[in-house]
Amino acid sequence: MAAVVPAAPVVKFLVLALFYGDHPELALRCGRTLRALWNTGRVDLRVGLNEVSGRSRSVLEGLLPGVHFESADPQVYKNPMMRRLLAGYHGDATHMMWFDDDSCLLPGIDPAAWLQAVSTRTATVRGSLGSLYTQDVTEDQRNWVAQQPWSTGRPVPQQVLFNTGGWKVVPLALMRRFDWPFADLVHAGGDLALGLLLQQLGLEPEQFRVGLAINADGALRESNAPRRGITEPAHAGAHLWGPPR
């Protein structure tokens, strides 16, 4: 009798994207990626608009008719908008896939084949997936981790590994279990905080950047997009995260 091969876990993505300000060129670039993924019929899609101009909104409405837009003017910043988008979702997706508006698929990528590649890789990942970076952990951040209800007492290393926030995949079950992004995260720090959470759980972020331009400039170079918007607004935990990445 032939051995029974277990079926691969079913993966479905909730694609979330955040747009900011008056940048119709980014709305077009990222919006085309979202449209291509949506056209596969294999993702759910929700979009956040923080102080988005009429020009940018018009581009997105043309590309994504019928998609839910969550608008905020004045803006509510990145992590609160992610929380809003997640709170309003009640579908059957297993993972969140996040796009900043300066992230997109590279030209020539087949969206259906790319989505299948991400799905196959995601099925084997317990933590997060994206482009890997490291950052030194400050004493204030160590103390913050120790005060969290999810702290397990694992020693926090000198540097933490994390997936940069411009594009990432995270299991929805993990996000809901730990209420991530945490309510005390505002503009910056979400990517690093997730890396710290995974480290405490004995999980690791993993590398996936194939076919992607993440936080990319006009030449599609990763992490080279111009800084836009504001730095971390004043709040109780602002000193923990510094300027946005």
Side-chain angles (χ1 to χ4, degrees):
M1 180 181 295
V4 177
V5 178
V10 174
V11 172
K12 179 180 176 180
F13 296 110
L14 166 63
V15 176
L16 303 181
L18 176 61
F19 293 83
Y20 169 78
D22 182 30
H23 300 281
E25 73 288 353
L26 294 180
L28 181 62
R29 192 178 76 175
C30 183
R32 283 173 170 167
T33 283
L34 300 178
R35 176 72 196 210
L37 296 176
W38 191 39
N39 282 348
T40 67
R42 297 177 52 198
V43 305
D44 292 337
L45 179 60
R46 293 170 65 84
V47 173
L49 307 178
N50 266 339
E51 293 182 9
V52 164
S53 69
R55 294 195 306 165
S56 293
R57 185 173 188 123
S58 178
V59 170
L60 293 169
E61 288 177 343
L63 286 168
L64 304 170
V67 169
H68 175 79
F69 291 164
E70 185 79 23
S71 300
D73 194 355
Q75 69 158 316
V76 294
Y77 309 105
K78 180 173 182 174
N79 292 296
M81 180 59 82
M82 189 186 301
R83 289 175 64 88
R84 282 193 188 186
L85 292 170
L86 288 165
Y89 179 71
H90 306 289
D92 60 351
T94 60
H95 292 72
M96 179 198 76
M97 180 186 292
W98 177 267
F99 282 86
D100 281 358
D101 61 2
D102 51 16
S103 299
C104 62
L105 291 179
L106 292 171
I109 293 296
D110 180 330
W114 179 84
L115 192 62
Q116 183 58 51
V118 184
S119 299
T120 299
R121 179 64 188 281
T122 298
T124 68
V125 173
R126 296 177 60 217
S128 60
L129 195 64
S131 190
L132 286 175
Y133 287 75
T134 60
Q135 183 168 313
D136 289 338
V137 181
T138 68
E139 191 62 29
D140 282 345
Q141 289 164 349
R142 291 176 192 277
N143 293 336
W144 177 82
V145 169
Q147 295 164 9
Q148 302 310 305
W150 42 263
S151 176
T152 63
R154 286 175 175 265
V156 178
Q158 181 177 349
Q159 289 192 323
V160 67
L161 189 66
F162 62 94
N163 295 126
T164 191
W167 182 88
K168 67 170 91 56
V169 170
V170 187
L172 279 172
L174 185 146
M175 297 180 73
R176 288 169 175 151
R177 178 183 174 191
F178 294 100
D179 194 29
W180 188 84
F182 311 125
D184 56 355
L185 294 170
V186 181
H187 187 59
D191 48 8
L192 181 59
L194 180 60
L196 291 165
L197 169 64
L198 295 179
Q199 187 271 333
Q200 284 295 292
L201 300 177
L203 303 175
E204 290 189 357
E206 297 191 25
Q207 180 85 291
F208 189 96
R209 52 197 295 273
V210 176
L212 287 158
I214 301 172
N215 294 143
D217 63 7
L220 299 179
R221 295 174 298 184
E222 180 172 313
S223 296
N224 273 278
R227 302 288 190 205
R228 293 177 296 127
I230 53 88
T231 57
E232 186 72 12
H235 63 95
H239 67 286
L240 288 169
W241 310 115
R245 277 174 295 279

